[in-house]
Amino acid sequence: MATTFKQDMPPKGGYSNIDYKRMLPKRGYSGYTMFAGMAGIMTFGMVTLAMSNKQKRKWIQEDRESILGIMPLICAEKDREMLLRLQYNREQEEEIMKDVPGWTVGEGVFNSKRWFEPGLLDLYYLEPSKERNKLVMGFNTFTGS
Amino acid sequence: MPEVVNLPSKVELDVPEVPLTSSALKAGAHHFGRQCDKANKEFMLCREEEKDPRKCLEEGRQVTACSFKFFNQIRTHCNESFTEHWTCLDYNKQEFRRCRQSQKKFDTCVFENLGWVRPELGDLGKVTVVKTERPVPEFDLRPIPEPTPRPIPPANLPASKTGSKYFFFW
């Protein structure tokens, strides 16, 4: 039996490896770098937030101090206006109740010598309802019914 | 019986108000708090102690007089910069941080002409002790009635028929 055929054999050096492994390209930062970056961004944000809060508190304090500065002036004017209003009310009461016997004008409501702060309706109850609502509710758009 | 509430006469109350808008008052507020410190503290102490606006009219009049003096001084010396500052405040929601430039101008003008320094942040809000000649008021408060005595349960009480009335989760 003569050898007339040639046995098929692997190439010299053998076949190359079968490409079965995942060959994902390596890209982006590593996990540690990303964690560190995130921590950095968070700390930056937190620090800016804290600083802006501090600044806002300072602005609020400045505003409050401006109100504190003029509070005595406003308070004095308010007191005087209130007392004038009470006097006007008493004059009106005198005129309205002149025909009623046994009526004492300007009698206090409480059995005490202490000062009681009158409410807004105690000051403006003699006005017609539209004016009264304006005075009592200030600049509110809703003026009641 | 309730008594007649005595009110002060109209002559006492006839004091002119400061004819300024809120923006102008706010623009001068810090300097005002520093310059009229004594009158302001006196008035506020009176209001706090007496708890009666009728007894603090004199102090209030002094506060108003001081404010008139203060704003007149500003008008004679720093009218322009003050007007600029308060119009800036008026247009910018009355926020000081939006008007730092005009505020700086106003402050320098006031310092050069009148020698006033803007109080630092936190200076006006400090608690201070004020010396006055006004005596401490005495209130004649009504005495508090003694509390009613606790009733003493009679001895040898019979037990309740329906059991205890303490409520504990059925």
Side-chain angles (χ1 to χ4, degrees):
Chain A
M1 194 173 171
T3 52
T4 53
F5 62 89
K6 198 182 168 189
Q7 177 67 37
D8 206 7
M9 293 295 281
K12 261 187 182 176
Y15 289 107
S16 59
N17 287 338
I18 296 167
D19 193 14
Y20 70 93
K21 275 181 184 169
R22 286 182 83 188
M23 295 290 284
L24 288 172
K26 203 180 175 186
R27 60 192 174 87
Y29 300 107
S30 72
Y32 290 115
T33 332
M34 292 214 303
F35 268 114
M38 194 200 67
I41 290 166
M42 290 284 280
T43 43
F44 173 74
M46 282 296 180
V47 166
T48 24
L49 179 68
M51 278 163 70
S52 69
N53 279 351
K54 218 173 175 180
Q55 184 62 255
K56 266 185 208 167
R57 258 178 265 134
K58 275 189 179 177
W59 287 337
I60 291 167
Q61 191 185 1
E62 198 182 3
D63 208 69
R64 194 168 59 226
E65 280 182 1
S66 78
I67 292 163
L68 276 177
I70 47 171
M71 194 162 69
L73 177 63
I74 303 290
C75 194
E77 284 182 1
K78 223 174 174 178
D79 282 352
R80 259 177 261 132
E81 200 186 338
M82 183 187 74
L83 290 169
L84 270 175
R85 187 72 208 179
L86 285 175
Q87 284 227 342
Y88 170 78
N89 279 357
R90 186 165 291 182
E91 280 169 19
Q92 294 290 312
E93 190 187 334
E94 211 169 340
E95 204 173 313
I96 292 164
M97 306 300 280
K98 63 189 170 191
D99 301 330
V100 182
W103 180 270
T104 47
V105 176
E107 200 177 29
V109 186
F110 302 100
N111 186 15
S112 168
K113 280 182 183 176
R114 247 165 69 205
W115 173 258
F116 290 93
E117 196 76 22
L120 280 170
L121 280 176
D122 295 332
L123 297 176
Y124 300 114
Y125 68 102
L126 286 168
E127 299 282 325
S129 70
K130 222 171 183 180
E131 298 289 314
R132 191 210 309 141
N133 283 338
K134 250 186 200 174
L135 288 162
V136 169
M137 303 203 183
F139 292 107
N140 284 4
T141 46
F142 176 71
T143 49
S145 53
Chain B
M1 276 299 289
E3 295 166 14
V4 173
V5 181
N6 53 334
L7 295 172
S9 63
K10 274 193 176 177
V11 185
E12 276 182 283
L13 300 170
D14 189 25
V15 182
E17 286 185 5
V18 182
L20 290 174
T21 50
S22 60
S23 301
L25 283 173
K26 206 167 176 178
H30 288 94
H31 286 295
F32 176 73
R34 171 54 64 82
Q35 296 309 318
C36 296
D37 190 48
K38 203 176 176 192
N40 286 355
K41 293 271 164 66
E42 189 88 37
F43 174 69
M44 288 319 270
L45 182 75
C46 178
R47 284 281 347 241
E48 198 59 36
E49 275 188 353
E50 302 272 2
K51 300 189 188 307
D52 192 344
R54 294 170 296 178
K55 287 174 186 169
C56 302
L57 287 173
E58 181 52 43
E59 280 87 348
R61 252 176 275 142
Q62 276 176 14
V63 167
T64 311
C66 184
S67 77
F68 265 100
K69 194 184 153 198
F70 171 82
F71 283 111
N72 277 330
Q73 267 176 323
I74 282 182
R75 186 165 62 180
T76 47
H77 292 288
C78 298
N79 196 7
E80 251 175 57
S81 55
F82 181 66
T83 312
E84 195 188 331
H85 185 38
W86 79 254
T87 40
C88 174
L89 281 179
D90 209 20
Y91 280 119
N92 289 306
K93 307 185 195 172
Q94 297 192 345
E95 285 175 3
F96 288 108
R97 66 191 167 92
R98 293 166 187 263
C99 297
R100 291 290 180 218
Q101 285 188 345
S102 55
Q103 182 183 318
K104 213 171 185 179
K105 264 189 204 169
F106 174 55
D107 277 3
T108 48
C109 172
V110 158
F111 180 69
E112 281 163 9
N113 290 310
L114 297 158
W116 297 345
V117 187
R118 176 175 285 267
E120 280 183 28
L121 194 67
D123 252 14
L124 282 178
K126 274 178 190 167
V127 180
T128 47
V129 180
V130 185
K131 257 191 181 178
T132 53
E133 277 125 42
R134 192 171 42 77
V136 181
E138 285 178 19
F139 295 104
D140 49 340
L141 298 173
R142 260 176 282 173
I144 300 165
E146 281 190 22
T148 47
R150 252 186 110 114
I152 300 159
N156 301 325
L157 263 179
S160 170
K161 280 177 195 171
T162 51
S164 173
K165 278 173 188 169
Y166 275 119
F167 174 80
F168 181 72
F169 208 70
W170 286 285

